[in-house]
Each structure stands twice: as C-alpha cells, then as structure tokens.
Amino acid sequence: MLITIPDVLSPEHLAQCRARLDAAEWVDGNVTSGHQSARAKSNEQVPEESDAAREVGGAIMQALSSHPTFMAAALPQHVFPPLFNRYGVGHRFGAHIDNSIRQHRQSGARIRTDLSATLFFAGPEEYDGGELVIEDNFGTQKVKLPAGHLVLYPASSLHHVTEVTRGRRMGAFFWIQSMIRDDGQRRILWDMDQAIQQLTLSVPEHPSLVSLTGTYHNLLRRWADV
C-alpha cells in the first residue's frame, strides 16, 4: 500500500532542519548505493556519519515515534536512521528496487526493508521535475508532496525519481522493518484501524467497537513477527 502522511514536521521544525542541512557537507549520492543503484543514480547526499545527519535524523525519529498515522500504517519494529539527499538540475534516479537488507555503518545493526519512506524538505513550488514514481499492484503513482509531508510505500516496489529541470529537490529517505512482514496483511490492519477510528468519532458508544478492536488485536497477534 502507498500512504501519504501530512505534517510529520511542523513548519518550525522543518525550517530548523533545512537550515542545518543547508550548512552541511554534501557528497556524491553513490556513497550508499548498491551495484544496481549506482548505475542509475545522480544526486548528492549528506554523509550518514555526519553531525547534521545524526541531528536532523534524530528530530525525524522523535517526530515519527509520536505520530499516530505513521505508527498505525507502518507498525514499525525497527527504523533505519534517516539519510538525506538532494537533486539539482539534471539529477535523477533511474528505476530500481531497494535492497532487501540494510546495515547501519556505525552500529552494524541490520534491518529487513519492508517499507520505504521519503520525507520531503522542499515543496513542489521550489523545483520542476523530481517526481517520485512508484510502480506496484496499486498501479503507477507519481508523488510530489509539500515540505514536511511523508510518503510510505512497499520497499519491494519498482520506483524512480524523474530528472529535475529547475530548482533543487531535498528530502530524507529511510526504511522500516515492520512487525507485519506481509504488505497485504498490513493493508488489512490499516483498513481496520481506520474503520475503528471513524466509528469511534461518529458513533462512540457503538457496541461493535469492542469486537472490532478485539479482532484487530487478534489479527495483529496472529501475524506479528516480533
């Protein structure tokens, strides 16, 4: 499933993070590429061991940990620390599928990449091109979100970033190992969660709420890989 999550970062936090990233060192984006990606990738990246990457990544992780939509959609078990890239004029990232396992350089910790996430730091008015194009069983989706918004999608999806023709695209990208490995099961739980939330708002005393909530947790108990 593909889910967009608005306002992961407030305008104040977004401005602080952008200022920190603007002042950071940027290097060739292929420092974290595998063989497949390196052949298709043209962008810049903040080194993951840099102070800027750790500070802004920490701010993102803190925001996500208290964001109910992200928690309900991803059901995260482990989150890979965010990385940061930017695309200037002529930069692009060809079609690829993300590596199934990512290893953090400093800690050596490995995660299975069930979900990929992109958090936009530049708004669509700041650049032309640079759409994230994602292909999966939900069809082909072009994603270009306001600054501070996030898109979450299966890491197994074929995806690419179109060439930037004006301005500069900047964002964070990272991966999530979910408690629910299977995307179809995760979709069922997300749909149930949303139905329960809607019913709670519209008919808070509805007798089915207890049963539906119990069914949600029984499915989570059955499917969770923890």
Side-chain angles (χ1 to χ4, degrees):
M1 62 180 178
L2 184 152
I3 295 174
T4 59
I5 304 176
D7 302 320
V8 170
L9 293 178
S10 68
E12 294 77 16
H13 282 143
L14 182 65
Q16 293 169 5
C17 291
R18 282 195 62 164
R20 187 70 178 93
L21 291 173
D22 283 338
E25 174 194 11
W26 291 82
V27 299
D28 189 296
N30 280 311
V31 294
T32 58
S33 296
H35 175 71
Q36 177 194 34
S37 295
R39 298 172 61 189
K41 185 178 184 181
S42 173
N43 64 13
E44 296 177 301
Q45 191 167 313
V46 176
E48 62 182 284
E49 68 275 8
S50 72
D51 291 341
R54 286 196 295 266
E55 291 169 17
V56 180
I60 293 171
M61 296 283 276
Q62 184 174 6
L64 292 174
S65 68
S66 60
H67 200 292
T69 304
F70 174 79
M71 298 301 289
L75 295 169
Q77 185 173 18
H78 303 293
V79 179
F80 193 91
L83 304 174
F84 304 91
N85 60 19
R86 68 183 183 188
Y87 295 74
V89 173
H91 285 170
R92 58 184 289 276
F93 199 162
H96 65 286
I97 295 173
D98 290 339
N99 290 346
S100 56
I101 305 294
R102 297 294 305 198
Q103 183 170 5
H104 190 245
R105 286 188 178 185
Q106 281 71 54
S107 68
R110 293 187 178 94
I111 74 161
R112 184 185 66 241
T113 57
D114 298 321
L115 292 161
S116 296
T118 295
L119 175 61
F120 289 78
F121 276 89
E125 71 283 357
E126 297 182 59
Y127 60 98
D128 293 332
E131 291 91 356
L132 173 62
V133 182
I134 304 166
E135 302 175 42
D136 210 313
N137 53 18
F138 45 68
T140 299
Q141 301 286 329
K142 291 185 177 182
V143 183
K144 190 173 182 178
L145 300 180
H149 290 34
L150 179 144
V151 62
L152 193 65
Y153 60 96
S156 56
S157 301
L158 182 69
H159 56 282
H160 68 276
V161 176
T162 65
E163 182 176 338
V164 172
T165 59
R166 178 190 65 87
R168 180 175 284 168
R169 177 193 193 270
M170 182 190 295
F173 63 102
F174 53 97
W175 300 272
I176 300 99
Q177 179 173 320
S178 177
M179 292 185 290
I180 306 300
R181 181 193 297 248
D182 182 78
D183 185 62
Q185 293 173 344
R186 207 163 46 244
R187 175 87 235 189
I188 290 170
L189 289 169
W190 166 254
D191 288 342
M192 285 193 68
D193 177 84
Q194 295 306 290
I196 290 167
Q197 298 304 321
Q198 289 284 347
L199 190 57
T200 300
L201 288 173
S202 58
V203 194
E205 302 301 324
H206 198 288
S208 294
L209 274 170
V210 173
S211 176
L212 282 171
T213 303
T215 300
Y216 173 90
H217 284 285
N218 284 336
L219 287 173
L220 182 59
R221 185 177 294 112
R222 175 181 288 267
W223 292 338
D225 180 15
V226 296

